[in-house]
Amino acid sequence: MTHELTSPADIHVAEGLAERAHRDPHRPRFHFTSPGGWLNDPNGLTHWGGVYHLFYQYNPLAPAHHRIHWGHATSTDLVHWTDEPVALVPGADGPDRDGCWSGVLVDDGGTPTIVYSGRHGEQELPCVARGSADLRYWTKDPANPVITAPPEGVDVTAFRDHCVWRENGVWRQLVGSGIRGVGGTAFLYESEDLRSWRYIGPLLTGDASQNRGEPDWSGTMWECVDLFRLDGTDALVFSAWDEGTTHHPLYWTGRYEGDTFTPAGLHRLDYGGRYFYAPQSTRDEHGRRIMFGWLQEGRTDEADAEAGWCGVMSLPRVVTLGTDGRLAQAPVPELGVLRRDHVRLPASPLGDAYTRLHDVRGDQLDIETSLRLAPGATARLVIRETPDGAERTIVEVSRAYDGSGTLRLHREASSLDLTVDTEPLYGELPLDSEGLVDLRVLVDHSALEIFANGRPLTARVYPTRSHDAVGVGIGADGDVHLERFDAWQMASAFAEGPRPLWP
Ligand code: DQQ
């Protein structure tokens, strides 16, 4: 069995972090966070016997990426989460002594089985652990690592993270990697028993010389590869990585057949880049493709240390195939149970004006609006605004005269704190000939998730005047018609007070 964190000294440290964390005004209340300490990638996502299991990269002992464990939480509704015992702890020795890095969970003939990256020194290698029937306790395979080295003769930039599935009676696995001087890649393997693996070859390799430095640069390594099929189109999701320069999620659409993936297009998965990183998805028992990503922090390491926690899990998203052949994303409808105090505005033209909405204010909000934009028009939804406007965050949608659209998040005035990230973020907004934009904005303290015509932009904001940076307003330049506007307060998904650690 994995040993839990039971030393009194460790528990004291972790409880101290949880105590500090709950007092932080920037801590989200309906997004999943760890009880305290560090959280990064979602791992081992599964819907098992009616229960959603969310595992995650976790350091319970400091808000820093060090000696990563697998945290674990369960939910029956994707909204309320119960903390479970830590699932994987780095070994005292062995291939994961420096961390249990990202991986997935599969059903091996009824036995829940985790395939993860064990870290030792600067190297990660594939490892396996088998779970108890309730997925709470995990036993590492004595044969770990189950693959002892990256493919022979290939100069790799890294070798970690896993996508594992069953096909034609055998297991198949992708391991994220990169070929030095060429680009990111995913190596394909095959196995009968999840323990002994045959190397097949690279499923697909990117070209790192293309679009270097652009938001769709495919990087020198692909982290957290995730392959799935939606309505006959295959998607290969990965997090484009380059040492110290690049962290953003992308996906290929195309066709997976035999041992190769024939790409049709490469696209940005979320315009927030590193604020929706290392996503992983699973097909739930209702047949939906559910995806989570990691919202990194945009404040300094010192501020994270002070806060006692860092890292937010995105809201669970349903991913579908849009009519344009791209992925479309939306928060799961289950989140509706948190909605309170509905405010509806009448349909009206917006005019060249800015209106503060006195009935809609707060730092836990869900706003759904539809806007019709004439060519050359821009609409703005302002959130987290102080009464004097000194701090404000602006969600902007615009339609150019050539019919193209842009979604932008202006964070330049989000915070008077000069140490936090306030770079604007933006991406392409698909528009029909009517210029209609369905915009959904979820505000949860420092966490923002924006969906415009199915395209997401995820980010963090840290207003210094958190108590009065709660204003909401709407405005436009040019001809914009407000077709619909509904807003709700969002209740917290967690009880007040510090989260008790593991049971
Ligand atoms: N995070 C994990 C790695 C993965 C990276 C380590 C992505 O397995 O490549 O915590 O954020």
Side-chain angles (χ1 to χ4, degrees), residues 351-379:
D352 282 325
Y354 175 65
T355 312
R356 177 67 73 78
L357 304 176
H358 294 288
D359 293 342
V360 185
R361 57 206 306 277
D363 50 16
Q364 291 181 209
L365 295 171
D366 185 358
I367 299 169
E368 272 194 290
T369 178
S370 295
L371 300 146
R372 194 155 32 83
L373 272 60
T378 295

Side-chain angles (χ1 to χ4, degrees), residues 259-315:
D259 300 335
T260 53
F261 186 98
T262 307
L266 177 65
H267 309 288
R268 296 169 70 191
L269 185 72
D270 187 301
Y271 300 145
R274 73 185 182 95
Y275 294 109
F276 185 81
Y277 197 67
Q280 188 179 106
S281 71
T282 190
R283 187 170 183 273
D284 78 356
E285 289 170 353
H286 311 297
R288 301 179 299 178
R289 175 68 37 191
I290 305 287
M291 181 180 278
F292 288 82
W294 161 43
L295 280 65
Q296 303 189 6
E297 295 296 326
R299 53 184 175 180
T300 62
D301 293 350
E302 293 71 31
D304 291 345
E306 179 72 19
W309 71 283
C310 66
V312 175
M313 203 54 79
S314 74
L315 297 169

Side-chain angles (χ1 to χ4, degrees), residues 78 93 125 146 161 187 242 274 279 315 453:
L78 288 170
D93 47 30
L125 290 170
V146 294
D161 310 336
F187 291 127
D242 181 61
R274 73 185 182 95
L315 297 169
N453 289 349

